[in-house]
Amino acid sequence: MVEPSSKDISPATATVDVVVVGAGFSGLYLLHKLRQLGFSTRVLEAAGDVGGTWYWNRYPGARCDIPTTDYTYSFDPDLEKAWTWSEKYATQPEILRYAQFVAERYDLRRDIDFDTRVVAARWDDEAEHWQVRTDTGRDIRCRYYVMASGCLSLPKTPDIPGAERFKGEVFFTSRWPHEGVDFSGKRVAVIGTGSSGIQSIPIMARQASQLTVFQRTPNFSIPAGNGPVRPERRAPLEADREAYRREAKWSRAGVPNEQTQVYGRYSPPQVHRERFEAAWQSGELIPMLAVFADQILFRDANAIVAGMVHEKIREVVQDPQLAELLSPRDHPFGTKRPCLDSGYYATFNLPHVRLVDLRRHPIETITETGIALAGETMAFDAIVYATGFDAMTGAIVSVDITGRDGITLKQKWAHGPQTYLGLMAAGFPNLFTITGPGSPSVLSNMMVSIEQHVDWLADCLVRLRADGMTTIEPTETAETGWVTHVNDCAGITLYPTADSWYMGANVPGKPRGFLPYVGGVDAYRGACDEVAACDYLGFRRS
Ligand code: FAD
Ligand code: N01
């Protein structure tokens, strides 16, 4: 075991117990935890500071979509007492301040190399360590290597012809300038109507002289009803914080919520309406995803929810044709991540805001001065790409990770990610992923899933140390079984029917397959605990 003295390690020749890629919420908690357990740990982060998602995504209107009272660390009760969220859904600057507060409170920055991108990592079977290469030219060796590199951290490169030609200002929601952007008096194009577009469009519309929204697929969006944290949300937390957090950990999606037994297809319209309105008024995604027990299983049940959202859109958007264009018809509700908005649909009633339906009028090319459709060319001062991410696997395989026998993870995952429990892959000893493909991850409150993975991993390393062992790797049998289970669970739902980033369908050439585990945070936690309790069943340790 390497001595736990990471702060004294010279990065040029360093060897540590654990290298962690990423200083978002995953990397920060991992560093804190491993340090407490006496493992020397170095975090390598491409950004200039901590925060991950909340460092990069500074676009106007960026907020969380899980209430911040839930989207928060729970590992230290004193930390919980030391921080109070100002709103139901905190803004990006506030969440970033929280990450910075955590980094300061536990003195984490001294073990993080910022502005350092990991480009490659190679397993040395004889020495039983990973050799990690960075873009600064400094290498670092470690026994355990953790990709805490984020599920939504690698922006999709624009796959639109002529994108490089445009001479005006270009922005990506996922890489927003730190100094902010003033669109006053400008003609602005926004491409993309996922969560990032839907959050930012109403704010950009307040500044721009003209705002043109290029929509390929309409998305379902729910009014966030933001404001101070509601008393009914605060009360259970304040009454018994420990019980509340425990309930979250053993819930379906990482937030305490009723597990309904009401089936849409077997209940009367009055029940449909009551349950839908209650969920809609909550302004929260998880209740909206659980109006009926069967809404993600059967199209008829799902159509009840979708139809009522369509009604809501028609109530707000004055022009019926526009309302129809904004109404998703191509995918069942929830099979793409629904959005939370503040005034999104009403924005389209403004005279200077225009919606372009890319299904009927595809972009022919981006030009030096604007965007050309068949038969129409529009001039813009700025183009905003809200076009999303190479989700879940992108950041992992963008690092050239070579495991046992010279096989890269990219090669292994060429037809889709293969993992055991979303934590490890056969052929890649001592490599862990946090909230990786095959785990509940993006289908859950990520804070709960991050903490669960970090705790499991930390326990695993402690057990290896206690047992005098130095390597761990899943067996191919266990991995195949888990992948089958992940696919079987997804297969009984409607999720695979949508062209979503959950399916890898947003990135040209990416293999199609449902990436996260849909079996629930509770079932998943149970499986991970059981595997550990059974002497790491399905893993080979030595
Ligand atoms: P990240 O925060 O993505 O951090 C990963 C870090 O790794 C990044 O800083 C990145 O720079 C770094 N990195 C990646 N590759 C390398 C490399 N090769 N070398 C060095 N560094 C590297 N989830 C929720 O549960 N609720 C929400 O409300 C919510 N809102 C979101 C809003 C937005 C705009 C986005 C994009 C995502 C949101 N998510 C939300 C998901 C969010 O990503 C997670 O909640 C969480 O922040 C992920 O933390 P992380 O540390 O795992 O990853
Ligand atoms: O990305 P997206 P995002 N031409 O992939 C369109 C989290 N998040 O950054 O659907 C034209 O959802 C694409 O169209 P289509 C959250 O988990 C949370 O918005 O592929 N259009 C789509 O409309 C979220 O789900 C929050 O047809 C193109 C859009 O761009 C995830 O991050 C806020 C195109 C991309 O939507 C990703 O959200 C932000 C092309 N070539 C993010 N390529 C919260 O609210 C893509 N599009 C907490």
Side-chain angles (χ1 to χ4, degrees), residues 21-23 43-49 55-56 112-118 135 175:
V21 183
V43 177
L44 307 176
E45 169 56 66
D49 197 10
Y55 174 91
W56 294 110
I112 307 175
D113 290 333
F114 294 108
D115 299 310
T116 302
R117 179 168 291 281
V118 174
D135 65 354
R175 291 290 180 269

Side-chain angles (χ1 to χ4, degrees), residues 121-131 142-144 401-406 427-431 470-473:
R122 176 174 281 274
W123 172 249
D124 180 335
D125 214 16
E126 222 164 280
E128 292 183 341
H129 69 217
W130 282 93
Q131 184 77 20
C142 55
R143 173 130 300 153
Y144 304 103
I401 300 176
T402 309
R404 203 194 289 289
D405 306 326
F428 296 80
N430 293 4
L431 164 67
T470 46
T471 67
I472 178 164
E473 181 186 346

Side-chain angles (χ1 to χ4, degrees), residues 270-541:
Q270 187 198 338
V271 171
H272 295 165
R273 177 62 63 189
E274 277 166 14
R275 292 192 59 81
F276 174 84
E277 285 299 337
W280 185 263
Q281 296 310 328
S282 75
E284 291 183 33
L285 289 183
I286 290 172
M288 278 298 295
L289 292 164
V291 178
F292 306 120
D294 53 351
Q295 72 187 59
I296 202 63
L297 301 176
F298 303 116
R299 281 187 185 271
D300 54 352
N302 192 285
I304 300 165
V305 180
M308 292 196 210
V309 180
H310 296 153
E311 272 176 32
K312 295 285 185 191
I313 297 171
R314 286 196 294 274
E315 281 169 20
V316 176
V317 180
Q318 288 154 3
D319 175 345
Q321 276 182 340
L322 199 50
E324 183 51 31
L325 275 184
L326 287 161
S327 299
R329 303 273 177 193
D330 74 311
H331 64 279
F333 178 83
T335 53
K336 285 183 144 188
R337 191 181 180 93
C339 309
L340 280 187
D341 71 275
S342 301
Y344 175 65
Y345 292 116
T347 302
F348 292 92
N349 294 330
L350 298 172
H352 69 294
V353 176
R354 176 179 170 192
L355 183 73
V356 174
D357 173 13
L358 292 178
R359 298 276 175 206
R360 288 180 58 201
H361 307 286
I363 295 174
E364 280 199 339
T365 185
I366 294 183
T367 68
E368 280 74 14
T369 54
I371 296 181
L373 314 173
E376 185 183 5
T377 299
M378 287 169 263
F380 294 109
D381 301 305
I383 298 179
V384 175
Y385 290 95
T387 43
F389 301 88
D390 184 347
M392 297 208 71
T393 52
I396 300 173
V397 297
S398 72
V399 175
D400 185 13
I401 300 176
T402 309
R404 203 194 289 289
D405 306 326
I407 305 289
T408 67
L409 197 58
K410 197 172 181 174
Q411 288 166 334
K412 180 179 164 99
W413 287 5
H415 302 292
Q418 314 282 306
T419 72
Y420 182 38
L421 296 171
L423 278 161
M424 296 193 83
F428 296 80
N430 293 4
L431 164 67
F432 297 86
T433 52
I434 302 294
T435 67
S439 75
S441 186
V442 291
L443 293 182
S444 68
N445 172 4
M446 288 284 275
M447 284 302 223
V448 168
S449 289
I450 286 170
E451 287 191 346
Q452 187 257 336
H453 264 189
V454 169
D455 291 343
W456 191 95
L457 193 165
D459 287 349
C460 171
L461 298 195
V462 167
R463 277 285 296 280
L464 285 169
R465 183 169 62 186
D467 295 344
M469 294 182 178
T470 46
T471 67
I472 178 164
E473 181 186 346
T475 64
E476 291 200 351
T477 310
E479 183 179 90
T480 305
W482 184 253
V483 171
T484 305
H485 175 59
V486 168
N487 292 335
D488 286 350
C489 289
I492 59 167
T493 72
L494 296 170
Y495 279 109
T497 65
D499 288 336
S500 63
W501 61 257
Y502 293 146
M503 291 294 294
N506 65 328
V507 176
K510 191 165 171 172
R512 191 181 173 96
F514 193 68
L515 294 166
Y517 173 60
V518 75
V521 163
D522 46 356
Y524 176 77
R525 181 183 296 274
C528 291
D529 288 357
E530 206 177 316
V531 162
C534 296
D535 261 341
Y536 292 88
L537 189 69
F539 289 100
R540 208 176 291 118
R541 304 186 311 146

Side-chain angles (χ1 to χ4, degrees), residues 98-117:
Y98 175 69
Q100 292 165 341
F101 175 77
V102 169
E104 273 145 39
R105 186 178 173 93
Y106 304 105
D107 188 19
L108 298 178
R109 284 195 181 88
R110 69 182 157 89
D111 282 328
I112 307 175
D113 290 333
F114 294 108
D115 299 310
T116 302
R117 179 168 291 281

Side-chain angles (χ1 to χ4, degrees), residues 53-54 57 59 61-66 152 156-161 173-174 191-199 214-219 285 330-331 336-341 358-359 363 385-389 442 499-502 505-506:
T53 287
W54 307 101
N57 292 265
Y59 60 84
R63 292 174 185 275
C64 51
D65 62 5
I66 296 286
L152 296 158
K156 218 178 78 143
T157 35
D159 47 357
I160 300 175
T173 50
S174 52
I191 302 175
T193 51
S195 299
S196 304
I198 282 178
Q199 282 187 329
F214 291 82
Q215 170 190 276
R216 188 163 66 183
T217 313
N219 226 323
L285 289 183
D330 74 311
H331 64 279
K336 285 183 144 188
R337 191 181 180 93
C339 309
L340 280 187
D341 71 275
L358 292 178
R359 298 276 175 206
I363 295 174
Y385 290 95
T387 43
F389 301 88
V442 291
D499 288 336
S500 63
W501 61 257
Y502 293 146
N506 65 328

